[in-house]
Amino acid sequence: AAALAALGGMTSGMGDYTGAQAILEEAVALARASENSLTLCRVLYALGSQYWRLGKMDRVHALMTESLTLARALGNAQRELYALNALATVAWLQNEAEAEHNFQSIYRQAVAVGDRLSAVTALNNLGVMADDRQDYQAARDYFQQALTLAREIGAQEDITLGLLNLADEEIKLG
C-alpha cells in the first residue's frame, strides 16, 4: 500500500491526476485489507489530496475526516494536524464561518506538540484569510510570524512564500 501511495504521488507529480487517483484508490483498498492503521491514515490523506487537485471537495472532506479519525486513534499528532489543516481549508473554500477559528486551533495545537511546520502552515492560512477580508495589517502580522518560524526551522519553501507574502502586504499597506 505504501509503495502504491508513493507511485500515486509520482504519477500526480507528473500531472496525471486521474491516473494517480486510480493508483491511490488501490492503495487505500490494500491498506484497509492489511489493517495497518498508520498506512491507511497516510494513504487516505494522499488520496484526499489527490481529490483536492481534481476539485472534488466532498471526497476531500470524507477522506480527510477518516484520516483524522485514524490519526486521533493512533495518537499521531502530526497526521492529525495535516488532516485538520486540510479540513479547515475545505471549510474556508466553502465560506464556512468556523474556518478561521479552525486555523487558530490548529496553530495552538501545532505549537503545543512542537510541530512548527504545521504552525507555519496555519499562520500562512490565517494570513491569507486576513488578506481576503482586506485586513492587511493582520495578514502582515501572520505572515511575519510564519516567516520567523520558517527561518527557525530552515523551511526554505516557506521562507520564500513568507517573503513573497510580506512583500505583497507591504505594497497593500503602502
Side-chain angles (χ1 to χ4, degrees):
L4 274 179
L7 178 61
M10 288 185 285
T11 303
S12 178
M14 294 185 327
D16 182 2
Y17 301 140
T18 303
Q21 174 194 336
I23 293 167
L24 290 168
E25 290 280 2
E26 190 174 337
V28 167
L30 285 172
R32 286 189 198 286
S34 75
E35 298 183 12
N36 182 322
S37 296
L38 180 56
T39 298
L40 180 58
C41 180
R42 289 177 174 160
V43 175
L44 287 166
Y45 181 86
L47 182 58
S49 296
Q50 192 56 47
Y51 274 113
W52 179 283
R53 291 176 188 91
L54 294 168
K56 298 178 180 180
M57 294 302 147
D58 58 327
R59 291 293 298 144
V60 174
H61 190 274
L63 290 162
M64 293 302 176
T65 298
E66 188 176 354
S67 180
L68 174 62
T69 300
L70 284 169
R72 286 180 171 158
L74 291 165
N76 189 318
Q78 185 178 45
R79 304 286 343 151
E80 182 178 343
L81 287 165
Y82 291 164
L84 284 170
N85 189 61
L87 287 166
T89 303
V90 169
W92 171 35
L93 292 174
Q94 295 174 338
N95 295 315
E96 294 180 18
E98 76 273 2
E100 187 167 2
H101 171 74
N102 292 347
F103 283 125
Q104 290 167 344
S105 294
I106 291 165
Y107 170 71
R108 287 190 300 274
Q109 184 176 349
V111 169
V113 300
D115 185 345
R116 296 193 300 172
L117 189 56
S118 289
V120 168
T121 300
L123 288 167
N124 276 323
N125 285 331
L126 287 164
V128 172
M129 291 186 78
D131 181 84
D132 281 354
R133 67 174 183 274
Q134 299 181 348
D135 186 349
Y136 303 127
Q137 185 59 52
R140 185 192 180 289
D141 294 345
Y142 283 125
F143 292 143
Q144 182 61 60
Q145 290 176 59
L147 177 60
T148 299
L149 267 178
R151 283 181 168 151
E152 288 175 8
I153 61 175
Q156 293 303 313
E157 288 182 22
D158 288 298
I159 291 169
T160 302
L161 178 62
L163 290 169
L164 290 170
N165 285 337
L166 277 175
D168 186 49
E169 296 312 314
E170 291 298 334
I171 291 168
K172 291 174 181 174
L173 287 167

